[in-house]
Amino acid sequence: MEPAVGDLSAAAEALALQVDLLQLPPEIPAPGAPALRGVLDHLFAHWLTLPDTVALVGCLVQKVKATSGGVVVPGGAMLPSMMMQGGASVPPLSPRSPRLSRRPSAVGAGQTNRSASPLRPAAARAVKEVIPQFYFQDGRPPTYELKKQCISTVDQLFAGHSNGLRIQEFRLVTRELCKLPSFFTTVLFGKIDKKNTGFVTRDAFIDFWLNSNMVTMDVATQVFTILKQDNNDYIRKEDFKPVLRDLLDNHPGLEFLKSTPEFQERYAETVVYRIFYCLSRIGGGHLTLRELKRGNLLDALRHADDEEDINKVLRYFSYEHFYVIYCKFWELDTDHDFFIDKENLIKYGNHALTYRIVDRIFSEVPRKFTSKVEGKMGYEDFVHFILSEEDKSSEPSQEYWFRCIDLDGNGILTHNELQFFFEEQLHRMECMAQEPVLYEDILCQLIDMIGPEDENYFTLIDFRRCKLSGHFFNILFNLNKFMAFEARDPFLIRQMREEPSLTDWDRFARREYIRLAMEEDGEDASNASGDVWDESLESPF
């Protein structure tokens, strides 16, 4: 509908200014001039004194008094009574045009920015969004439902035991309620029963498992918290002793060892050494929570708890693997002082290793010896050596041998360093009347095998991406394995295809265990039908 002409004219008359009453100066300063601000202030003050302005303000004040019961505040200003009472009814602001707004809107599209009003009471302003807590130093507290369910299970397990549970009775709590391997019972029991009373009461268990938020932690954090000492943020080798003692006392696959306590101790040591060899990448005999989470120890613990045949638990706990490691060490330790020197180690694998690589091992470049005897390798040092030697595709083994070859320790393997180690291999091949291979040809083979980013040198990252790193190192310092690789033994190739899940260490340990078992039974290991691969090659050294 079009507006009436009379209404327009009336509005124009009401809005018209009496130009002569404004008393404009003859010359108005240009925009931006300093004198313009004073002119504008003078005009505004003069406008407030005009009769029409005074009448308009008086009319508005009377209207406010009549409609809303306004209250006069000091200074003569009038505010609505709802402002004095903290009311929540605030008139909406006029929506700003997107084209006129110079700052981005803080509210969503189609909503009014009401919090920007200076007249808006504090109680009615928009509440800030609260971000829920996502980090808890002592673990996330359990929910009411989880806590109620856990307490109900605790009441069932502790029913009829007012004095608490003994350690054998507590095994069910460890496995069924805590969902931990049963051989964690001893260490968990001792963690709760700090006064060594021989009992764990209901209240003590709830205080440890519920009130300390253990129930909401992931399994790795639970295991880490239970094993470590209270004042440490890492696990030591000694912290595994109660777990392995419980395993040896209760696992059906290790009952035969109870008659030989000395071998129980050696078995436990070997398991711990293998765990730290695979998981502890920082070194120093410490295992951090991050390393525990990145490794496969938790799966191995569950497997050992569920499997009655301990030899099927290939990761860490296999007794056959321990038997092979210990017997290999005992064969080299001819004087049985539980130490190995250079002359002993050079005999390993039927003189498979070169003197130069053995010298690097005993210079303690790849790893500092723990034997505390100069020029001697202890049992723990030998465990690290044999695991690295028999499975060169693993990351710990790659680091071990990389440090051996890296003569200057600059983090790269140059062609000169590779040639230094291959020279002795070439000499040994000539002594065995084998056809020598030129180093230039070997170098091309190594480059094609690893595929380094820069063909002038090799880095540890290059070996991480390649599955043939074991052959690379064997070419440089293990003559027997180098010749076996060149011969492409069909039995080994078939074995790898039939059992791809097994590692090189798993295959070696199985072959050696069969050989050692046959020797103990008085049988000839060379007569085994296809199960044993004779890696022995005649050597003049």
Side-chain angles (χ1 to χ4, degrees):
M1 180 181 296
E2 296 293 337
V5 178
D7 295 340
L8 292 176
S9 60
E13 292 177 0
L15 297 175
L17 292 175
Q18 300 178 11
V19 180
D20 56 336
L21 295 177
L22 293 178
Q23 301 178 2
L24 295 175
E27 292 185 1
I28 299 177
L36 181 60
R37 179 178 181 85
V39 172
L40 295 177
D41 292 342
H42 174 73
L43 289 176
F44 180 71
H46 182 69
W47 177 78
L48 291 176
T49 62
L50 294 178
D52 292 345
T53 304
V54 174
L56 176 61
V57 173
C59 180
L60 292 176
V61 171
Q62 295 298 328
K63 187 175 181 180
V64 170
K65 288 183 178 181
T67 57
S68 58
V71 179
V72 181
V73 298
M78 299 293 297
L79 290 178
S81 59
M82 59 183 177
M83 298 298 294
M84 303 300 295
Q85 300 171 4
S89 176
V90 179
L93 296 176
S94 175
R96 300 180 64 180
S97 172
R99 292 178 298 176
L100 299 179
S101 177
R102 294 187 178 181
R103 63 177 63 180
S105 175
V107 294
Q111 295 182 352
T112 304
N113 186 4
R114 301 176 52 160
S115 62
S117 173
L119 302 178
R120 179 176 175 81
R125 296 189 180 181
V127 180
K128 293 183 179 180
E129 181 182 359
V130 178
I131 300 177
Q133 183 177 353
F134 57 88
Y135 172 73
F136 301 87
Q137 184 176 0
D138 299 324
R140 181 182 296 275
T143 62
Y144 174 77
E145 292 77 9
L146 178 60
K147 195 170 185 178
K148 182 179 179 181
Q149 179 183 0
C150 186
I151 291 178
S152 175
T153 306
V154 170
D155 291 339
Q156 295 178 10
L157 294 174
F158 281 81
H161 301 276
S162 57
N163 295 328
L165 299 177
R166 297 181 183 273
I167 189 169
Q168 289 299 328
E169 300 166 338
F170 191 74
R171 304 187 73 83
L172 188 62
V173 177
T174 304
R175 185 175 176 87
E176 299 300 329
L177 178 58
C178 301
K179 307 298 182 183
L180 294 172
S182 59
F183 45 87
F184 269 73
T185 299
T186 301
V187 64
L188 179 59
F189 191 92
K191 205 78 172 182
I192 303 174
D193 182 26
K194 294 184 178 181
K195 296 182 179 180
N196 297 323
T197 62
F199 292 91
V200 167
T201 64
R202 171 189 177 278
D203 294 339
F205 177 79
I206 290 179
D207 184 62
F208 176 82
W209 193 252
L210 279 180
N211 297 343
S212 63
N213 303 329
M214 285 284 293
V215 67
T216 58
M217 297 179 183
D218 57 88
V219 179
T221 306
Q222 290 176 348
V223 170
F224 182 80
T225 305
I226 293 172
L227 289 180
K228 75 178 185 68
Q229 299 298 312
D230 294 337
N231 56 343
N232 293 338
D233 58 354
Y234 53 82
I235 300 175
R236 307 168 304 165
K237 296 185 181 72
E238 296 81 4
D239 296 333
F240 281 96
K241 284 186 176 180
V243 175
L244 292 170
R245 170 50 54 188
D246 197 321
L247 178 71
L248 286 164
D249 290 341
N250 296 281
H251 198 284
L254 295 171
E255 285 186 1
F256 67 96
L257 271 182
K258 291 182 178 180
S259 59
T260 55
E262 65 276 12
F263 288 110
Q264 281 187 324
E265 182 178 353
R266 294 301 176 193
Y267 169 81
E269 288 179 355
T270 306
V271 171
V272 174
Y273 296 156
R274 292 184 65 183
I275 291 174
F276 275 76
Y277 169 82
C278 294
L279 300 186
S280 180
R281 313 308 298 277
I282 298 178
H286 296 161
L287 188 64
T288 64
L289 176 59
R290 182 179 181 183
E291 292 171 334
L292 181 63
K293 289 184 175 181
R294 294 179 60 183
N296 57 0
L297 177 60
L298 299 179
D299 294 335
L301 291 171
R302 296 190 187 95
H303 190 190
D305 196 37
D306 297 335
E307 179 59 60
E308 292 187 359
D309 186 357
I310 198 66
N311 291 317
K312 292 183 179 180
V313 189
L314 301 181
R315 303 286 81 80
Y316 313 117
F317 294 99
S318 171
Y319 176 81
E320 292 181 354
H321 290 190
F322 153 72
Y323 186 84
V324 169
I325 294 174
Y326 188 83
C327 288
K328 280 288 187 180
F329 180 83
W330 194 253
E331 287 177 353
L332 298 177
D333 182 20
T334 53
D335 57 358
H336 302 313
D337 61 350
F338 229 66
F339 293 108
I340 291 177
D341 57 18
K342 287 185 182 180
E343 296 304 320
N344 298 138
L345 191 63
I346 202 68
K347 301 174 184 177
Y348 180 83
N350 194 24
H351 299 268
L353 301 175
T354 63
Y355 279 97
R356 291 182 177 180
I357 199 65
V358 172
D359 287 339
R360 290 290 288 173
I361 294 173
F362 275 84
S363 64
E364 303 184 27
V365 171
R367 182 180 182 274
K368 295 294 182 181
F369 287 169
T370 59
S371 63
K372 307 298 182 182
V373 179
E374 185 177 359
K376 298 284 187 176
M377 171 188 288
Y379 180 65
E380 180 180 354
D381 308 315
F382 179 77
V383 171
H384 281 253
F385 160 76
I386 193 173
L387 294 176
S388 299
E389 167 59 25
E390 300 303 338
D391 188 359
K392 297 186 177 73
S393 61
S394 66
E395 290 189 4
S397 176
Q398 291 172 349
E399 295 175 3
Y400 188 95
W401 297 117
F402 188 93
R403 288 192 290 265
C404 285
I405 305 299
D406 186 13
L407 296 175
D408 53 7
N410 62 349
I412 62 174
L413 304 184
T414 62
H415 297 173
N416 291 335
E417 290 171 329
L418 303 183
Q419 186 176 11
F420 172 79
F421 286 94
F422 185 74
E423 284 176 351
E424 187 176 352
Q425 285 281 70
L426 183 61
H427 173 67
R428 298 179 64 175
M429 293 173 66
E430 292 174 349
C431 292
M432 296 179 64
Q434 296 289 332
E435 181 179 356
V437 182
L438 297 177
Y439 171 71
E440 289 75 13
D441 297 334
I442 288 295
L443 181 60
C444 293
Q445 183 178 358
L446 294 177
I447 292 175
D448 293 339
M449 184 182 298
I450 302 300
E453 292 186 2
D454 191 325
E455 294 186 356
N456 295 317
Y457 57 84
F458 298 85
T459 65
L460 190 58
I461 298 178
D462 297 329
F463 292 97
R464 292 280 191 266
R465 298 193 303 260
C466 179
K467 296 182 179 180
L468 300 176
S469 60
H471 301 309
F472 178 96
F473 293 117
N474 289 332
I475 290 174
L476 296 179
F477 54 76
N478 191 312
L479 183 59
N480 294 352
K481 291 183 178 180
F482 172 37
M483 297 178 65
F485 173 70
E486 291 295 319
R488 301 296 194 278
D489 190 296
F491 171 71
L492 289 181
I493 296 176
R494 185 191 66 188
Q495 192 179 53
M496 294 177 65
R497 289 177 178 175
E498 291 178 351
E499 298 173 311
S501 62
L502 297 182
T503 64
D504 291 343
W505 163 255
D506 296 333
R507 298 186 183 94
F508 165 80
R510 183 170 62 182
R511 293 194 305 266
E512 281 299 304
Y513 183 79
I514 295 175
R515 181 185 69 82
L516 293 168
M518 287 183 172
E519 288 181 356
E520 185 152 345
D521 294 339
E523 299 180 22
D524 186 1
S526 61
N527 294 331
S529 58
D531 289 331
V532 178
W533 171 62
D534 186 7
E535 67 174 2
S536 302
L537 294 172
E538 292 297 325
S539 172
F541 298 94

